[in-house]
Amino acid sequence: MRKWFDRHPAKSPSSPTGIALNSTTPRTQPLSQHSTVPLLDGAKDTEHNEAVVLQRYCEHQVADVVGAGWLAAYMQQKPAVDIDLIIDQIRELRSAPDDFDKITQLEKIESLDSALAAARARVMADFDRSQREEQCQQGVRSRQRGRGIADQIALARRISPTKASRDLAIARALRTLRCDWQWPPDSTRRGAARSPRPTPRPRRRIRRTGMSRRAERSGYRRWMKSYDLVIIGSGPAGTSAATSYVESGGTGRVLLVSADRRPPYQRPPLTKDVLAGRSDVEPTPIEGSPLPDQVEVRLGTTVSAIDLAARTIRVGDEPVAFERLIVAVGAQPIPFPDTDADAEVLVLRSFDDAERLVASAQRARSAVVIGSGFIGCEAAASLAIRGVDTTLVTPEQAPQIDRLGEFAASRIHEWLTGLGVELRTGVQVTKVAAPSTVHLDDGHTLSVDLVLAAVGVTPGGDQFTDSGLQLHEGRIVADDHLQVAPDVWAAGDVARAHHAIAARPVPVEHWGDALAMGELAGRNAASDDDDQQQWRDVPGFWSTIGDHTLKYAAWGDGHDNVEVVESPGAYTVWYADAEGTVVGVLTYNNDDDYERGQMAIEAAESLDQVRAGAVPATDEQESPNDADG
């Protein structure tokens, strides 16, 4: 039903209504008993009677919501509303009395917002302090609960995704509202002098959310679901954060929201045994599963917005309030850009990706893997083990040569070729044509059954651009406690956290790092501000290429010097900067050097100290993280 004030052009008042509003009339009475204005007899007084009925109806609807003063203010704000307009509306409403309650559904929130705010401001301006005190003494002023109309409207408009839910939110908000004033009976006559309004109190400071703090706390949290901790992401960082929070004494309800439709599972086996056909295509639960009982998990659900000021997130279409928040959404694989629309180029990140890849590999005789990162090398080796004729294409001169140096790159090259993988190094893929034809920049074309792109990942922070979080190249900027804002932390691939030992931001993209960061974020979320712990773990990962496992720890921003130490069936590669300080270590079948290297990196030892075998003096730390990456 369209509102009265939007349907009719402005008219000059024809006559006063003569209606006295009575907001204290019980709603259990019939409408005919809701007014002191009598009905007149005779057909000539039909218009008057209709106006009285409408007035009684309005009292019936608004008396227990905002008081009769609301209607009076509305009428004052809209002087064009005269007796003729009221009669027109009554004639229309009389034909469908069951639809009367649609008026209170507030179909046009914008009109209600502006009209109420303007009316309230206009009424407030006409009162002075002395008259306000007099009215208060007379008991005319009704209860006030410390919240204003503008606060309630701003709340409902912000937290309600659909029109129906906005209407419900408005209704709920207005049920708790009481006007600051009440109109004396003679003040509601058209043209009559309005009762004085005291000088208003200074307006409360409005927060960035558009509502007062008290309105925020008592308005939406009354009916919105609220959690002591909300975790976004069910990967290693999210699940370890949930477990760590509970084990560290965190209390209250915990919500873990996951865009993945499956319970938390391990991703490292997807490129190894699952793809190689050595194990069933089944998800492997993350170590530590199941999650504690106080953790509620919502699968297949995305978080579309974060409001730090209001401390809410939007889970699907539902607003959810939080006391603490951990963002651990991880990263997504980068699709190959130059691809025909109907060409099939697979990626590998989630279990759904693995299912599609395995299904395609079961039918394929040949495959091309684009990219020589660790995911690309592991996947190429696994496809070859499965019996697929596999070619790895990379712009690098050897796999991982830019990161690990010539020695380690040559060993990876030997392992891959030993499994039957053909390497095309120093070439770029210019295009993938339908259905699966790979064009190289050296003029060669590879027509295969399967194409897998392993060209990197993009952090998931860009989805929260408007949330108030500070972002840098898709990552959420955090301090050395992984804290982003008060009671908000970030962990895993999506975080660009300041490392306490490296004294600079260190982005990471590996499974073990995400586990460690999530554990720290959960522990900090359960602790007081004075007990927050720093991120001190040296980043690193394991990678299994065929039957060969490499273990790597480093700051990840390059090296200037490389020193190789070989032994029968094993080797260690030490990486140092220009000043000779150890910045990384790579080991093969040498776990002692791997642990020694982590301590050397943390203590900023020199290569000379490492050669001498001196044990570095480091702060007490936890055991090295031995999760696959």
Side-chain angles (χ1 to χ4, degrees):
M1 183 183 298
R2 293 179 295 176
K3 295 193 71 68
W4 307 342
F5 312 117
D6 297 333
R7 298 180 48 181
H8 294 267
K11 303 177 182 180
S12 59
S14 58
S15 62
T17 62
I19 299 173
L21 299 178
N22 179 12
S23 64
T24 61
T25 306
R27 293 185 62 174
T28 56
Q29 298 180 9
L31 288 181
S32 59
Q33 301 179 22
H34 277 205
S35 175
T36 58
V37 179
L39 297 176
L40 302 180
D41 296 329
K44 65 180 180 179
D45 296 313
T46 299
E47 293 182 352
H48 172 82
N49 293 344
E50 289 172 340
V52 171
V53 172
L54 176 62
Q55 176 266 324
R56 293 172 184 174
Y57 163 74
C58 291
E59 290 180 44
H60 177 75
Q61 294 295 324
V62 305
D64 293 337
V65 180
V66 293
W70 178 86
L71 180 62
Y74 223 109
M75 299 292 284
Q76 290 291 337
Q77 174 64 17
K78 299 289 184 179
V81 180
D82 56 20
I83 189 66
D84 294 333
L85 186 150
I86 297 175
I87 292 171
D88 291 343
Q89 296 304 311
I90 272 293
R91 287 171 178 166
E92 179 178 344
L93 296 174
R94 185 171 54 188
S95 62
D98 293 337
D99 294 336
F100 277 10
D101 59 349
K102 290 183 179 180
I103 293 178
T104 59
Q105 291 180 4
L106 309 178
E107 294 178 57
K108 295 183 178 179
I109 294 178
E110 291 78 9
S111 298
L112 177 64
D113 189 1
S114 59
L116 285 178
R120 191 168 188 267
R122 181 173 178 176
V123 173
M124 290 169 63
D126 292 336
F127 286 81
D128 58 41
R129 184 178 298 278
S130 61
Q131 291 167 326
R132 176 191 179 194
E133 293 175 354
E134 180 181 354
Q135 288 195 6
C136 289
Q137 294 173 0
Q138 295 174 356
V140 177
R141 184 174 181 269
S142 64
R143 292 177 299 170
Q144 182 195 39
R145 306 182 82 173
R147 58 179 70 90
I149 293 175
D151 290 346
Q152 299 297 314
I153 298 300
L155 168 66
R157 294 177 66 182
R158 185 178 58 76
I159 66 178
S160 305
T162 64
K163 178 181 180 301
S165 60
R166 282 200 304 268
D167 295 344
L168 180 61
I170 287 290
R172 284 173 170 159
L174 290 180
R175 286 194 196 103
T176 66
L177 183 65
R178 295 295 184 271
C179 288
D180 296 328
W181 41 267
Q182 200 74 318
W183 288 83
D186 62 346
S187 65
T188 57
R189 299 178 179 272
R190 300 278 306 168
R194 288 172 293 175
S195 295
R197 167 70 168 142
T199 301
R201 293 177 301 173
R203 290 187 57 149
R204 289 166 294 169
R205 184 174 67 87
I206 301 299
R207 305 175 68 198
R208 281 196 309 172
T209 57
M211 53 187 170
S212 69
R213 184 180 295 273
R214 183 173 179 181
E216 173 191 325
R217 288 178 178 174
S218 60
Y220 69 89
R221 291 184 186 270
R222 180 171 303 172
W223 61 274
M224 185 188 301
K225 284 190 176 181
S226 181
Y227 295 85
D228 293 84
L229 174 64
V230 172
I231 302 171
I232 308 175
S234 65
T239 53
S240 63
T243 302
S244 175
Y245 174 79
V246 176
E247 292 178 349
S248 300
T251 60
R253 303 171 63 197
V254 180
L255 173 65
L256 188 146
V257 183
S258 173
D260 203 306
R261 62 187 180 90
R262 300 178 183 275
Y265 56 86
Q266 296 186 34
R267 285 199 302 268
L270 302 181
T271 58
K272 303 176 180 69
D273 290 345
V274 171
L275 183 56
R278 292 173 171 173
S279 63
D280 295 335
V281 187
E282 295 291 339
T284 303
I286 291 180
E287 184 179 355
S289 297
L291 294 172
D293 292 338
Q294 72 189 69
V295 179
E296 175 187 339
V297 180
R298 297 194 192 181
L299 302 175
T301 306
T302 59
V303 174
S304 57
I306 299 176
D307 189 333
L308 293 184
R311 309 184 76 76
T312 62
I313 63 173
R314 184 166 296 282
V315 181
D317 291 334
E318 177 189 0
V320 172
F322 64 83
E323 294 297 329
R324 303 170 189 85
L325 176 68
I326 297 176
V327 183
V329 294
Q332 296 299 320
I334 299 174
F336 191 76
D338 300 317
T339 305
D340 285 352
D342 51 351
E344 184 179 14
V345 179
L346 302 176
V347 294
L348 182 54
R349 182 74 174 182
S350 66
F351 190 82
D352 289 343
D353 296 334
E355 282 188 319
R356 287 188 289 268
L357 180 58
V358 170
S360 181
Q362 289 173 343
R363 303 186 301 266
R365 294 184 178 181
S366 58
V368 166
V369 177
I370 306 173
S372 60
F374 281 106
I375 296 297
C377 291
E378 290 176 0
S382 297
L383 287 170
I385 292 173
R386 180 180 280 274
V388 179
D389 184 10
T390 305
T391 301
L392 188 147
V393 180
T394 175
E396 293 186 290
Q397 297 302 317
Q400 292 291 311
I401 190 172
D402 295 336
R403 178 189 295 202
L404 305 180
E406 293 183 5
F407 179 85
S410 65
R411 294 298 185 271
I412 296 174
H413 187 285
E414 292 175 4
W415 295 341
L416 290 172
T417 55
L419 293 171
V421 177
E422 178 186 357
L423 272 73
R424 298 286 187 98
T425 59
V427 296
Q428 297 269 10
V429 176
T430 59
K431 181 181 180 181
V432 179
S436 53
T437 302
V438 180
H439 296 268
L440 306 180
D441 63 358
D442 61 1
H444 290 84
T445 300
L446 303 176
S447 296
V448 293
D449 302 321
L450 183 156
V451 179
L452 172 65
V455 294
V457 296
T458 179
D462 284 337
Q463 60 185 303
F464 305 125
T465 302
D466 298 328
S467 64
L469 299 172
Q470 184 180 353
L471 300 176
H472 178 82
E473 297 179 350
R475 300 181 190 272
I476 301 174
V477 178
D479 64 11
D480 55 358
H481 302 105
L482 307 184
Q483 194 163 22
V484 177
D487 298 324
V488 181
W489 295 263
D493 297 3
V494 76
R496 187 178 188 268
H498 192 88
H499 199 282
I501 298 175
R504 62 182 178 274
V506 178
V508 296
E509 294 180 354
H510 300 287
W511 185 266
D513 298 326
L515 282 172
M517 295 177 75
E519 182 179 350
L520 176 61
R523 189 161 55 247
N524 284 344
S527 305
D528 296 332
D529 291 342
D530 296 336
D531 297 327
Q532 298 288 295
Q533 299 181 16
Q534 292 180 318
W535 181 36
R536 303 180 64 86
D537 297 285
V538 177
F541 59 89
W542 297 7
S543 177
T544 300
I545 301 173
D547 296 323
H548 306 280
T549 298
L550 292 172
K551 298 182 180 181
Y552 178 73
W555 297 127
D557 49 4
H559 56 268
D560 297 291
N561 300 305
V562 177
E563 183 169 311
V564 179
V565 179
E566 292 188 83
S567 58
Y571 61 81
T572 300
V573 182
W574 298 96
Y575 302 95
D577 61 15
E579 298 177 353
T581 302
V582 175
V583 295
V585 62
L586 174 74
T587 65
Y588 174 64
N589 291 341
N590 197 337
D591 291 345
D592 291 340
D593 275 1
Y594 179 70
E595 296 179 6
R596 174 74 174 83
Q598 288 180 312
M599 292 188 291
I601 295 168
E602 181 178 343
E605 284 190 76
S606 66
L607 280 175
D608 292 338
Q609 290 175 298
V610 170
R611 295 190 195 100
V615 178
T618 60
D619 296 335
E620 183 178 353
Q621 63 178 17
E622 297 183 2
S623 300
N625 188 350
D626 291 341
D628 278 347

